[in-house]
Amino acid sequence: MSTAWAGGTDAILERMDKMTELFVAETRKAIYTGESATHCEECGEPIPEARRQAIACKYCLSCQTELEKG
Ligand SMILES: [Zn+2]
């Protein structure tokens, strides 16, 4: 009856997946602009290369965690 469900659950889940991907990408862009820093801007600790390659980050993991807590 409802045309909103015409594509079935799989189609809806797929669309949600794409929206989530986009949202994550946009959020990352908004938070992490530009190049990764080699050292944490907060405490000066070196940022592991694996972390810098995963995301363009400016803080070490502990500072990032603190910042995300607010
Ligand atoms: Zn730090």
Side-chain angles (χ1 to χ4, degrees):
M1 192 168 122
S2 172
T3 51
W5 297 86
T9 312
D10 283 354
I12 290 162
L13 287 176
E14 200 179 301
R15 209 180 310 157
M16 281 176 72
D17 263 6
K18 288 211 173 82
M19 281 168 67
T20 307
E21 259 173 49
L22 271 175
F23 176 75
V24 170
E26 287 300 311
T27 307
R28 272 190 187 163
K29 248 190 274 173
I31 297 172
Y32 309 108
T33 51
E35 294 286 302
S36 290
T38 53
H39 290 73
C40 176
E41 286 194 355
E42 192 72 17
C43 70
E45 281 288 308
I47 300 169
E49 193 172 342
R51 178 169 158 72
R52 281 189 280 126
Q53 281 175 353
I55 48 166
C57 55
K58 294 185 189 304
Y59 307 102
C60 70
L61 190 56
S62 62
C63 287
Q64 184 73 58
T65 308
E66 286 300 311
L67 287 166
E68 280 170 6
K69 272 191 233 164

